[in-house]
Amino acid sequence: MKLHNQYTKAEGPAVAEDREFAAKDFSNGSPVKWCPGCGDYAVLSSLQKAMAEIGVAPEDVAVISGIGCSSRLPYYMNTYGMHTIHGRAAAIATGVKVANPNLSVWIMSGDGDSLAIGGNHFIHLIRRNVDLNLVLFNNRIYGLTKGQYSPTSPRGFKSKSSPFGTVEDPFIPGELVFGARGTFFARSLEVEMELLKECMVAGHNHRGTSVIEAMTNCVIFNNGIHKVYSDREVRADKTIILRHGEKMVYGKDKNKGLVLDGLTLKSVTIGEDGYTLDDVLVHDAHTPSPVLHSMLAMMHETGGDLPLAMGVIRDVEGPAYDLEVARQMEAEVAKLPEGHSFQNYLGGLAGWDVKGKTRS
């Protein structure tokens, strides 16, 4: 594969500085076969726009998926791609990235694919901090298999596999990421396509595993599951877009903010009850401690009037598995004598002929 910048194998993907790209350069023109109105269309469009903005050449990108509606996405990308088996995209993508750290590797996976059968691969991908990007489509349902509840379906959710309602609590993706010592987590609703694109660009620029939760709608089996946040009439008051270094302010009139009340987050109205803009927290996505990041990622599930946090919630530095392996290999190869090769190594080993006679 021809690369467009000269750099060592351990430096990761490079931007093709001598070329400019448009979103259409990352589309192969194949008919997209999702249900009309499916939220996956928005993720595909956002990814193609993000790739054009990032500037990595299509031939330097690999898109890997598992099984599910979301996992059809590689079919529509003008990049290298692989549609793998259920829950195993993270393992295969890790192999791709370790074999060639110069590739920009993306995983497309759903809440069932990554958090149920693929749950163990999910947490170890994050723990290892492999330098790749996982876009987690979260529609809180198994859509491809026609409507069973998933690991993110809410307690009491009625489905084909839970006709009387589930009796278990769901996973919160951000909570899993932080529990696995994740270094990057972002989130967006499908209807916030510009924000979703921003999260993908930020994930690519992060050195390590980036997890971008895309909250999508399944129009057939779980229509409106995110409407409490996504409906235009309520979105401004029910969501907050976090940006590093900016005040945590939200609301239709930008008059609401987040403050710490003891050890918990609290939503206040600026100018009421003695609260001013100075009291509102400033978002620090780069602080090593995951405590506040975890609180932000989970606050919409705690009840009360706390909003859904979107944007880049956590983005901290840490050693990337694939780059460390590449550096380790380069260091060991440098110790070998000049002219050393695998064939020479094999030729120097003791062996036996067919009569059982030892030869050196």
Side-chain angles (χ1 to χ4, degrees):
M1 177 180 296
K2 182 179 183 296
L3 298 174
H4 300 277
N5 282 356
Q6 295 299 316
Y7 53 94
T8 65
K9 195 173 183 181
E11 289 181 354
V15 171
E17 295 179 352
D18 55 337
R19 294 165 64 183
E20 292 186 2
F21 302 102
K24 63 182 176 62
D25 294 321
F26 294 89
S27 171
N28 61 17
S30 298
V32 182
K33 298 180 179 179
W34 287 313
C35 299
C38 175
D40 294 1
Y41 286 95
V43 183
L44 173 62
S45 177
S46 298
L47 178 62
Q48 290 168 341
K49 291 175 182 177
M51 295 309 302
E53 183 172 320
I54 290 165
V56 175
E59 63 266 28
D60 292 339
V61 178
V63 182
I64 316 295
S65 68
I67 294 296
C69 294
S70 62
S71 293
R72 293 193 60 81
L73 190 143
Y75 290 107
Y76 313 128
M77 295 292 292
N78 182 35
T79 64
Y80 289 105
M82 189 180 296
H83 191 177
T84 71
I85 56 179
H86 208 188
R88 304 301 182 256
I92 292 169
T94 297
V96 170
K97 186 65 178 180
V98 171
N100 188 352
N102 297 328
L103 289 175
S104 176
V105 180
W106 294 75
I107 298 174
M108 300 293 126
S109 183
D111 44 299
D113 187 49
S114 268
L115 305 185
I117 189 171
N120 206 40
H121 292 289
F122 180 78
I123 60 173
H124 288 292
L125 168 72
I126 295 165
R127 177 184 66 83
R128 288 174 173 141
N129 202 34
V130 186
D131 187 23
L132 49 74
N133 315 286
L134 190 155
V135 179
L136 182 70
F137 296 60
N138 185 6
N139 58 15
R140 309 188 87 171
I141 195 77
Y142 281 98
L144 187 67
T145 50
K146 308 300 186 283
Q148 299 84 4
Y149 77 93
S150 85
T152 58
S153 298
R155 176 180 282 272
F157 181 76
K158 292 183 179 180
S159 71
K160 291 182 178 180
S161 56
S162 57
F164 309 113
T166 64
V167 293
E168 56 199 70
D169 288 323
F171 276 142
I172 302 171
E175 184 177 20
L176 285 181
V177 171
F178 300 140
R181 306 185 69 179
T183 56
F184 185 101
F185 178 71
R187 178 196 286 141
S188 180
L189 291 160
E190 64 177 65
V191 292
E192 293 281 359
M193 291 178 62
E194 182 64 26
L195 178 64
L196 183 55
K197 184 198 76 172
E198 287 181 24
C199 291
M200 291 174 175
V201 172
H204 173 272
N205 293 336
H206 173 77
R207 184 61 61 89
T209 302
S210 72
V211 178
I212 300 125
E213 180 187 4
M215 298 176 69
T216 56
N217 189 46
C218 176
V219 293
I220 304 300
F221 298 108
N222 208 11
N223 193 29
I225 187 61
H226 301 304
K227 67 180 181 180
V228 65
Y229 307 114
S230 62
D231 278 1
R232 188 181 299 274
E233 294 76 15
V234 302
R235 198 183 311 162
D237 290 322
K238 292 292 186 179
T239 65
I240 181 171
I241 297 176
L242 300 174
R243 289 192 168 88
H244 177 73
E246 296 184 8
K247 289 279 187 178
M248 297 185 194
V249 174
Y250 71 105
K252 183 168 58 177
D253 300 320
K254 296 296 181 184
N255 64 337
K256 297 182 179 181
L258 297 179
V259 301
L260 272 177
D261 184 17
L263 297 178
T264 61
L265 287 170
K266 177 181 177 181
S267 176
V268 301
T269 300
I270 299 168
E272 294 184 7
D273 300 322
Y275 289 103
T276 69
L277 185 60
D278 290 339
D279 297 310
V280 175
L281 294 170
V282 174
H283 182 46
D284 184 356
H286 304 324
T287 182
S289 172
V291 175
L292 187 55
H293 297 156
S294 181
M295 293 167 63
L296 289 166
M298 296 170 61
M299 63 181 173
H300 65 292
E301 297 280 359
T302 59
D305 60 350
L306 290 169
L308 170 76
M310 299 195 299
V312 177
I313 296 173
R314 179 170 174 81
D315 183 0
V316 300
E317 293 184 0
Y321 177 87
D322 53 295
L323 301 181
E324 294 305 308
V325 168
R327 291 191 181 102
Q328 189 178 66
M329 294 296 291
E330 289 171 359
E332 292 303 312
V333 168
K335 297 176 184 178
L336 297 174
E338 188 175 351
H340 179 87
S341 70
F342 186 61
Q343 290 300 324
N344 291 340
Y345 172 73
L346 291 178
L349 296 176
W352 290 262
D353 60 25
V354 291
K355 297 178 181 179
K357 191 174 183 180
T358 302
R359 66 175 176 83
S360 60

